[in-house]
Amino acid sequence: MTTSTKRNIKKQQILDAAEKVFANYGFANTKMEKVASEAGISKGTVYFYYDTKENLYMALTYQAIQFLIDRFYQVLDEQRAYPGIEGSLALVHSYLQFCEKNPLYADLMLDYMTVNRTTRDGMDTNRLTAALQDSIYYRKIQDIQNIPISLITQEIKRGVEDGSILNKQQPELLYLLAWSSTIGFVKLNSAAGKRQSLLNVDVDVWRTQLLAQMRQMLLVTSFELV
Amino acid sequence: MTTSTKRNIKKQQILDAAEKVFANYGFANTKMEKVASEAGISKGTVYFYYDTKENLYMALTYQAIQFLIDRFYQVLDEQRAYPGIEGSLALVHSYLQFCEKNPLYADLMLDYMTVNRTTRDGMDTNRLTAALQDSIYYRKIQDIQNIPISLITQEIKRGVEDGSILNKQQPELLYLLAWSSTIGFVKLNSAAGKRQSLLNVDVDVWRTQLLAQMRQMLLVTSFELV
Amino acid sequence: MTTSTKRNIKKQQILDAAEKVFANYGFANTKMEKVASEAGISKGTVYFYYDTKENLYMALTYQAIQFLIDRFYQVLDEQRAYPGIEGSLALVHSYLQFCEKNPLYADLMLDYMTVNRTTRDGMDTNRLTAALQDSIYYRKIQDIQNIPISLITQEIKRGVEDGSILNKQQPELLYLLAWSSTIGFVKLNSAAGKRQSLLNVDVDVWRTQLLAQMRQMLLVTSFELV
Amino acid sequence: MTTSTKRNIKKQQILDAAEKVFANYGFANTKMEKVASEAGISKGTVYFYYDTKENLYMALTYQAIQFLIDRFYQVLDEQRAYPGIEGSLALVHSYLQFCEKNPLYADLMLDYMTVNRTTRDGMDTNRLTAALQDSIYYRKIQDIQNIPISLITQEIKRGVEDGSILNKQQPELLYLLAWSSTIGFVKLNSAAGKRQSLLNVDVDVWRTQLLAQMRQMLLVTSFELV
DNA sequence: CATGAATGAGGCTTCATTCAT
DNA sequence: GATGAATGAAGCCTCATTCAT
């Protein structure tokens, strides 16, 4: 095993540990010591691989987006032979699974958006935001951030073109409707606690309805306005 | 003006300031000093009215829920003459407005759920959670937490009974679908920044579609499964 | 009732309250708010009469010494007809009662001695000590501090002269032996708690033995050295 | 030198520094920053070894009692061949030396007794007391607190049995008389300041008399009541 | 490279004191 | 005079980060 490989394994171990800890405590309440102990190493070593807490967080964000992109390509590959609506729903489904696997993923992307925003707006950038933007991973994410969105909207367009999707709204709008539903679903479930069923509603039924609603949306020509 | 009234006014001023600061920085990055200066008073005075940061946060949560409940009652009063579907959608709409007015409100409730959860589960309660549960407002919230949900599900039931809502799913499920969509919508918009339109989609169009989708949902007998 | 009289009554109420609170919590852990509430008045009023916490403490010290002096004169008056040994022991006894009535009295005098000492030594005077020395009562105490000691040593001398006291040691030494026993007795009892008997020894027996030991001491010509 | 050894050395250095500072300023006026600088380290390091000020104080208390116990065993070992009265007086003497070496030791034990008392009584436990009781050392002290008393009373009993001690009072009572004298002696001397002689009485003479008085006490059959 | 002790800036909170009413 | 809200200096403690071994 090369030195580089060993380094990468260790980096991955840290990332895995960080994922657990950030997911349980959130960014602010996560202690580097806890990440280290979760990874079975010392604090110093964590700092050897990730020089700030913010950098570690951004590395995790980068990885999450990479995973999502990989998954999306895989789904697209599987769905190539089917109509666009199936590919689109499969993408949404895989995104939902992705977020359910670890609610942190949804937060990571939301946080990235927030950080990214303050770069543009002239907002009073606080220390935290500035530190996040300093991360090398911040730049790396900027290069790939649009890929998931791009893949999904392209698939919707394919569905519109092959006639399987009837809704003629902007693909981006359709994506936002799906994305926000997913985020809300994940947020509520995560806040309620994984074991707990919210309002006595079965989570599986809920998820199924959510997806059914999305299909419905793609099949409808237009919505009546409220 | 009585002494008690003056006290309440000051408490409200602090709460207003806290709302701004928590909304901008989140709980962890909010400094009591900042809340004080935002309220135009000194740090000590903030502590005179709210003895911990956590208590201030919970007071805000309590107020948010109270506001929501007040708004709900008002909406229900206005919708009394109309069929249940209109009342239900009006409630959802008012909830959406409520969260859009200040995205912090959505977070407050989500955070409350998380805190509340650790009370039930035997989770490894951290310092923050424990402090939040110590707040007098935590107890007060427990007494009213179920009212919004109850009001909305009752209105859905009225709609089912008067025949305006055709979907025969559990009202709770319908509520969750609406609730999660709303949270996702608010979260995404707040992350993107108020001035920024996400993916070049007009927010008003997005919101309209969201509500249309909800009406659709209530009018459909049942969804096809994916 | 004159204005001046009313003032004095109020000052005395505050002093009484302060006595209770200082006795229960010690100087550092006593809050002016607590003194005020104990006196049934507001914090501002306490400050109207005693402009610093240290001043209040020194006022209490002054009063304690005054009380002790008054008591000593009274005892001396009662004992005038009896031999000096009886007068001396009666003084010691009254001192013991004085300290037992409120253990704070012993502390007040000890603290005064400490504060007084740092005036002489070139010690690194801390803020607290400096503030105590600033009190107007500090000066007043300086004028009367030696009276109790003087009264007791004079009475011992009278006993030596009238032949009732056989111990020819310095009266000051005899006083110190009595004084330190008393302080130790009070300290231990106060630490143990008033209701609690220490090591299952009856406090009354202990006190009796203590006084017997002192009489013994005055009656003995000289001690064997250890 | 092992890691564990180094840690213990550092812990001891901090304890030594804390001893000086607490002795000079008392608990309330001691600043952790001062302890740190006295130890030649930073505040953070102090907290690395002792997580609260109260814990540090209790650690010191524990050490003081341990030292006393060690000293007592040593004295008992030396006195094994001599009659019980000599052993008893030697113990008292060593206790006196122990307290004179650092008056803080007497305070530590007194404070411990006070803290311990509020555990039993249903007293309105204040923050400080609660924090002291939370210390891990508080528990450790509870396990050894009775040893010094036990050793001394046993030695007195030995003296009674071998006929060297004639006083037939409870050994516990005799111990209390000795203990309180010692505490009073130390308190007065510490308040007066080490360099200062109180009332122009030579401290060595005073101490000698104190010990002579104790021997006297053990040799007397019974005291006349006052 | 790994460790874990050491650092110190930063933030929460307390409470003596002040001051407007 | 009395009140109690307002102030802010001061001190405890946390924890990201550094660094000697």
Short mmCIF file of all heavy atoms in Angstrom, two decimals, chain B residues 106-129:
data_model
loop_
_atom_site.label_atom_id
_atom_site.label_comp_id
_atom_site.label_asym_id
_atom_site.label_seq_id
_atom_site.Cartn_x
_atom_site.Cartn_y
_atom_site.Cartn_z
N ALA B 106 -39.47 28.56 11.60
CA ALA B 106 -39.43 27.14 11.22
C ALA B 106 -38.34 26.42 12.01
O ALA B 106 -38.56 25.31 12.52
CB ALA B 106 -39.18 27.01 9.72
N ASP B 107 -37.21 27.08 12.13
CA ASP B 107 -36.09 26.48 12.88
C ASP B 107 -36.45 26.30 14.35
O ASP B 107 -36.13 25.28 14.96
CB ASP B 107 -34.85 27.37 12.79
CG ASP B 107 -34.15 27.19 11.45
OD1 ASP B 107 -34.35 26.13 10.82
OD2 ASP B 107 -33.42 28.11 11.05
N LEU B 108 -37.10 27.31 14.92
CA LEU B 108 -37.45 27.24 16.33
C LEU B 108 -38.28 25.99 16.60
O LEU B 108 -38.03 25.26 17.57
CB LEU B 108 -38.25 28.49 16.72
CG LEU B 108 -37.49 29.81 16.77
CD1 LEU B 108 -38.44 30.97 17.02
CD2 LEU B 108 -36.41 29.78 17.86
N MET B 109 -39.24 25.76 15.75
CA MET B 109 -40.11 24.61 15.98
C MET B 109 -39.37 23.29 15.75
O MET B 109 -39.56 22.33 16.49
CB MET B 109 -41.34 24.70 15.09
CG MET B 109 -42.20 25.89 15.50
SD MET B 109 -43.66 26.06 14.47
CE MET B 109 -44.11 27.76 14.83
N LEU B 110 -38.56 23.28 14.72
CA LEU B 110 -37.76 22.08 14.46
C LEU B 110 -36.83 21.81 15.64
O LEU B 110 -36.71 20.67 16.12
CB LEU B 110 -36.93 22.31 13.19
CG LEU B 110 -37.22 21.55 11.89
CD1 LEU B 110 -38.57 20.86 11.89
CD2 LEU B 110 -37.05 22.45 10.70
N ASP B 111 -36.19 22.86 16.12
CA ASP B 111 -35.28 22.69 17.27
C ASP B 111 -36.04 22.22 18.50
O ASP B 111 -35.57 21.36 19.24
CB ASP B 111 -34.57 24.01 17.58
CG ASP B 111 -33.49 24.32 16.58
OD1 ASP B 111 -33.16 23.42 15.77
OD2 ASP B 111 -32.96 25.45 16.59
N TYR B 112 -37.21 22.79 18.68
CA TYR B 112 -38.01 22.36 19.83
C TYR B 112 -38.32 20.87 19.73
O TYR B 112 -38.22 20.15 20.73
CB TYR B 112 -39.31 23.15 19.92
CG TYR B 112 -40.24 22.56 20.93
CD1 TYR B 112 -39.99 22.68 22.29
CD2 TYR B 112 -41.36 21.82 20.52
CE1 TYR B 112 -40.82 22.09 23.23
CE2 TYR B 112 -42.18 21.23 21.46
CZ TYR B 112 -41.91 21.36 22.80
OH TYR B 112 -42.72 20.77 23.73
N MET B 113 -38.65 20.43 18.53
CA MET B 113 -38.95 19.00 18.37
C MET B 113 -37.74 18.14 18.73
O MET B 113 -37.87 17.10 19.36
CB MET B 113 -39.36 18.71 16.92
CG MET B 113 -40.75 19.23 16.58
SD MET B 113 -41.12 19.02 14.82
CE MET B 113 -41.19 17.23 14.72
N THR B 114 -36.59 18.61 18.31
CA THR B 114 -35.37 17.85 18.60
C THR B 114 -35.12 17.79 20.10
O THR B 114 -34.82 16.73 20.66
CB THR B 114 -34.16 18.52 17.92
OG1 THR B 114 -34.43 18.61 16.53
CG2 THR B 114 -32.91 17.68 18.13
N VAL B 115 -35.27 18.93 20.75
CA VAL B 115 -35.06 18.98 22.19
C VAL B 115 -36.07 18.07 22.88
O VAL B 115 -35.75 17.30 23.78
CB VAL B 115 -35.21 20.42 22.72
CG1 VAL B 115 -35.26 20.44 24.23
CG2 VAL B 115 -34.08 21.28 22.20
N ASN B 116 -37.29 18.17 22.44
CA ASN B 116 -38.36 17.39 23.02
C ASN B 116 -38.11 15.90 22.86
O ASN B 116 -38.38 15.10 23.75
CB ASN B 116 -39.66 17.77 22.32
CG ASN B 116 -40.84 17.57 23.23
OD1 ASN B 116 -40.68 17.54 24.45
ND2 ASN B 116 -42.02 17.44 22.67
N ARG B 117 -37.57 15.55 21.72
CA ARG B 117 -37.29 14.15 21.44
C ARG B 117 -36.34 13.53 22.46
O ARG B 117 -36.59 12.46 22.98
CB ARG B 117 -36.67 14.02 20.06
CG ARG B 117 -35.85 12.78 19.84
CD ARG B 117 -35.66 12.53 18.39
NE ARG B 117 -34.78 13.51 17.77
CZ ARG B 117 -33.56 13.22 17.32
NH1 ARG B 117 -33.09 12.01 17.46
NH2 ARG B 117 -32.83 14.13 16.73
N THR B 118 -35.27 14.27 22.77
CA THR B 118 -34.27 13.71 23.68
C THR B 118 -34.84 13.50 25.07
O THR B 118 -34.26 12.80 25.88
CB THR B 118 -33.02 14.61 23.76
OG1 THR B 118 -33.43 15.89 24.18
CG2 THR B 118 -32.32 14.69 22.43
N THR B 119 -35.97 14.16 25.35
CA THR B 119 -36.62 13.92 26.63
C THR B 119 -37.15 12.48 26.66
O THR B 119 -37.04 11.79 27.65
CB THR B 119 -37.80 14.89 26.83
OG1 THR B 119 -37.40 16.18 26.48
CG2 THR B 119 -38.27 14.86 28.27
N ARG B 120 -37.74 12.07 25.55
CA ARG B 120 -38.33 10.74 25.49
C ARG B 120 -37.25 9.67 25.34
O ARG B 120 -37.11 8.80 26.17
CB ARG B 120 -39.29 10.67 24.30
CG ARG B 120 -40.44 11.67 24.39
CD ARG B 120 -41.43 11.40 23.30
NE ARG B 120 -40.77 11.31 21.99
CZ ARG B 120 -40.77 12.27 21.09
NH1 ARG B 120 -41.38 13.41 21.33
NH2 ARG B 120 -40.18 12.12 19.92
N ASP B 121 -36.51 9.75 24.24
CA ASP B 121 -35.45 8.76 24.02
C ASP B 121 -34.45 8.88 25.16
O ASP B 121 -34.33 9.91 25.78
CB ASP B 121 -34.71 9.02 22.69
CG ASP B 121 -35.66 9.16 21.53
OD1 ASP B 121 -36.88 9.20 21.77
OD2 ASP B 121 -35.18 9.25 20.39
N GLY B 122 -33.74 7.83 25.40
CA GLY B 122 -32.72 7.92 26.45
C GLY B 122 -31.42 8.49 25.91
O GLY B 122 -30.35 8.10 26.33
N MET B 123 -31.56 9.47 24.98
CA MET B 123 -30.35 9.96 24.28
C MET B 123 -29.30 10.59 25.19
O MET B 123 -29.62 11.09 26.26
CB MET B 123 -30.77 11.00 23.25
CG MET B 123 -31.30 10.41 21.98
SD MET B 123 -31.30 11.66 20.70
CE MET B 123 -29.55 12.01 20.53
N ASP B 124 -28.09 10.59 24.72
CA ASP B 124 -27.02 11.23 25.47
C ASP B 124 -27.21 12.75 25.39
O ASP B 124 -26.75 13.43 24.50
CB ASP B 124 -25.63 10.76 24.99
CG ASP B 124 -25.00 11.59 23.92
OD1 ASP B 124 -25.27 11.30 22.74
OD2 ASP B 124 -24.23 12.51 24.26
N THR B 125 -27.96 13.24 26.33
CA THR B 125 -28.34 14.65 26.37
C THR B 125 -27.11 15.53 26.57
O THR B 125 -26.39 15.38 27.55
CB THR B 125 -29.31 14.91 27.53
OG1 THR B 125 -30.35 13.95 27.47
CG2 THR B 125 -29.89 16.29 27.45
N ASN B 126 -26.90 16.43 25.66
CA ASN B 126 -25.76 17.33 25.83
C ASN B 126 -26.15 18.55 26.65
O ASN B 126 -27.31 18.77 26.97
CB ASN B 126 -25.18 17.73 24.47
CG ASN B 126 -26.22 18.37 23.58
OD1 ASN B 126 -27.03 19.16 24.04
ND2 ASN B 126 -26.19 18.05 22.31
N ARG B 127 -25.14 19.33 26.98
CA ARG B 127 -25.33 20.49 27.83
C ARG B 127 -26.41 21.42 27.27
O ARG B 127 -27.29 21.88 27.99
CB ARG B 127 -24.01 21.26 27.92
CG ARG B 127 -23.70 21.82 29.27
CD ARG B 127 -22.44 22.66 29.21
NE ARG B 127 -21.30 21.92 28.65
CZ ARG B 127 -20.47 21.18 29.36
NH1 ARG B 127 -20.65 21.07 30.65
NH2 ARG B 127 -19.47 20.54 28.80
N LEU B 128 -26.30 21.69 25.98
CA LEU B 128 -27.24 22.62 25.36
C LEU B 128 -28.67 22.15 25.53
O LEU B 128 -29.55 22.88 25.98
CB LEU B 128 -26.90 22.76 23.87
CG LEU B 128 -27.90 23.54 23.03
CD1 LEU B 128 -28.03 24.97 23.54
CD2 LEU B 128 -27.49 23.56 21.56
N THR B 129 -28.91 20.91 25.16
CA THR B 129 -30.25 20.36 25.25
C THR B 129 -30.77 20.44 26.67
O THR B 129 -31.92 20.85 26.91
CB THR B 129 -30.24 18.90 24.78
OG1 THR B 129 -29.74 18.85 23.45
CG2 THR B 129 -31.64 18.31 24.79
#
